[in-house]
Amino acid sequence: MNRSVSHGEDALRHERVALFEDGTPDAPGEALAAYRRAASALGEGTTLAWHVDPGNLGLLSRAMRELAAQRLDVVLRADDVAEDRTEVASESALVPTLRRLREQPPASSIPRRDVRLVMTNGRPYVLPPPALDISTNDLCGLECNMCGNRATRRDPHTISSADVQRLIAEAAAWGIRRVALTGAGEPFRDPNMLDHIRHANELEHLVTITTNGFPISDKIATELAERVASVSVSIHGAADETHDAIVGVPKAGENAWRAIRRMVRARDARPGSKLSVNVSTVIQRKNVGEIPALVRRARDEGVSGINIQPVNLQHGSFRGDGIVRRDDLVAMSRLWPTREQEAALDATFDELAKLKGELGKVMHASLERLALVRRYFRDSSREALGVACRVGEAFLAVDHRGQIKPCYRLPWSHGDARLVDVRALWNSKAYARTRAQVDACPLTCLNNCFFRERRARAEEAVS
């Protein structure tokens, strides 16, 4: 046990007690005795710097309960091998417990104070993202009015099936338990998609997929019902004609609902099936008045969940070290709800709030998020919404060309995932600079799930 003194920005002196700095002792009872000595030495304003390793994880869980009111730094040993490569010792073994400690509420009634995850190099440690997004192809076939993908041929630079499966395995080894096999194209136009899902499930991943529904045959639906997967079908209108107009393809609505029925039937025919069947929709000018009816139709079809997003027409560019927001004004002139639709939009959100009360978790959006989306259509500025971007801690993607993307809304890549170690990149110096840029990003991308009410960042507090 070592003592040191650090100086904060407020010039106050904070004493630190370091524990297990030289590793966890092997002798029986020695680790517990060292913890008790350190705990007895803690006073008001003292921080316990707990150097975590697999040998003291269980004891750390106990300390989190017993020292709920104490400042605690959980310190992970890390080496900066290169600007874009930081190797964290025993990370795979530590992540599941550290994630659980972050997510679980305090065991006592005493609020937990100042628990941080830090590395020995002095930077905050950021837990792996909850999921890794992997795009396996860029082919779709639809012509959605809010999407610019019109690819008719498979990109010859698309990553291989072996690359995809390696990334899935790497995510599992890192402690990630969900992979999203959704990106620029229709996932099931990848002939190896079912193999990818099987491989991910073998590694205990939940797989999430968003599809337009066209490729979902009875055979594919039956296979999906045997998997641990959440499949969302994009449907943008209660009336098939509305959906067809938005996606630019005749009978797209008919095929989308057929896919829903096939998967629901396959799910219900297999007791204990882990398949979640969902409808995902985007609110825009053409469907403002149909969203509540769409929710009811989805409920009547037996879906597991309904995702509701607002149309997002924001992109970003870089100016020096900063990010500049750029709204697609041409697309907004076609897709953004008009002033004449304000009353209809308010009525839609009023009805959605009532449906949330009726359907509960089937509607994935909380009442708070529905209120946020309502405000977004009135004023989408970051200041008005009072939100903060969590992309730097909650999202990481690899596109169909293998490029590592911190955010799809920015012209950004951290290199090729076939050459760059994604896990070592995440807590590197280079990615720390990316997070600093994200913190100041003016975009409000409410069409992904990574915006939350402004709060402390995950790497600054475990809870």
Side-chain angles (χ1 to χ4, degrees), residues 128-202:
L132 180 64
D133 281 45
I134 307 171
S135 179
T136 71
N137 85 106
D138 63 330
L139 294 176
C140 178
L142 301 188
E143 297 182 359
C144 299
N145 60 13
M146 63 282 200
C147 175
N149 183 5
R150 299 293 185 267
T152 58
R153 294 183 179 180
R154 186 177 176 87
D155 187 340
H157 300 289
T158 298
I159 55 177
S160 69
S161 178
D163 292 328
V164 173
Q165 300 218 358
R166 179 185 59 79
L167 286 166
I168 292 171
E170 185 174 335
W174 193 9
I176 293 174
R177 286 293 171 258
R178 178 166 63 88
V179 290
L181 299 179
T182 298
E186 162 54 48
F188 289 102
R189 291 194 68 173
D190 178 348
N192 298 305
M193 181 52 61
L194 291 177
D195 289 336
H196 296 328
I197 296 172
R198 294 187 199 105
H199 179 60
N201 280 177
E202 288 169 359

Side-chain angles (χ1 to χ4, degrees), residues 101-371:
L101 292 176
R102 186 190 75 175
E103 294 174 352
Q104 72 180 14
S108 74
S109 59
I110 303 173
R112 192 177 293 151
R113 287 175 54 189
D114 297 338
V115 180
R116 303 185 306 160
L117 302 181
V118 297
M119 297 183 289
T120 51
N121 56 26
R123 296 193 304 277
Y125 172 76
V126 184
L127 285 165
L132 180 64
D133 281 45
I134 307 171
S135 179
T136 71
N137 85 106
D138 63 330
L139 294 176
C140 178
L142 301 188
E143 297 182 359
C144 299
N145 60 13
M146 63 282 200
C147 175
N149 183 5
R150 299 293 185 267
T152 58
R153 294 183 179 180
R154 186 177 176 87
D155 187 340
H157 300 289
T158 298
I159 55 177
S160 69
S161 178
D163 292 328
V164 173
Q165 300 218 358
R166 179 185 59 79
L167 286 166
I168 292 171
E170 185 174 335
W174 193 9
I176 293 174
R177 286 293 171 258
R178 178 166 63 88
V179 290
L181 299 179
T182 298
E186 162 54 48
F188 289 102
R189 291 194 68 173
D190 178 348
N192 298 305
M193 181 52 61
L194 291 177
D195 289 336
H196 296 328
I197 296 172
R198 294 187 199 105
H199 179 60
N201 280 177
E202 288 169 359
L203 296 173
E204 300 184 351
H205 281 299
L206 164 67
V207 178
T208 59
I209 291 176
T210 300
T211 174
N212 60 40
F214 269 96
I216 304 294
S217 63
D218 284 323
K219 182 178 180 180
I220 289 177
T222 299
E223 166 83 10
L224 291 172
E226 298 173 356
R227 303 294 155 214
V228 182
S230 178
V231 181
S232 297
V233 181
S234 296
I235 304 179
H236 303 299
D240 289 356
E241 296 78 11
T242 302
H243 178 71
D244 295 353
I246 288 173
V247 304
V249 174
K251 297 189 176 181
E254 178 183 332
N255 280 278
W257 288 110
R258 182 184 296 124
I260 291 287
R261 287 190 287 273
R262 284 171 171 167
M263 288 190 289
V264 167
R265 187 165 57 244
R267 178 200 67 192
D268 293 348
R270 183 178 178 83
S273 174
K274 300 295 185 181
L275 173 63
S276 177
V277 183
N278 311 289
V279 165
S280 288
T281 193
V282 174
I283 302 174
Q284 58 164 280
R285 182 181 300 178
K286 286 182 180 293
N287 64 13
V288 163
E290 292 190 28
I291 301 301
L294 171 61
V295 170
R296 293 190 181 91
R297 183 174 178 182
R299 173 201 60 194
D300 294 343
E301 293 283 2
V303 302
S304 312
I306 302 159
N307 304 308
I308 300 172
Q309 313 258 23
V311 64
N312 187 285
L313 304 170
Q314 303 172 25
H315 295 277
S317 59
F318 292 102
R319 183 179 297 163
D321 292 331
I323 298 170
V324 178
R325 172 172 161 174
R326 178 179 60 82
D327 291 356
D328 188 335
L329 299 180
V330 174
M332 288 184 72
S333 70
R334 295 183 290 107
L335 305 179
W336 198 259
T338 65
R339 289 185 178 181
E340 290 74 18
Q341 290 179 303
E342 286 182 0
L345 193 61
D346 279 337
T348 287
F349 281 106
D350 289 342
E351 199 165 354
L352 288 175
K354 293 178 183 177
L355 284 168
K356 176 64 178 178
E358 295 174 17
L359 301 180
K361 292 182 179 180
V362 174
M363 270 186 66
H364 292 167
S366 65
L367 289 174
E368 291 77 13
R369 180 165 174 81
L370 288 173

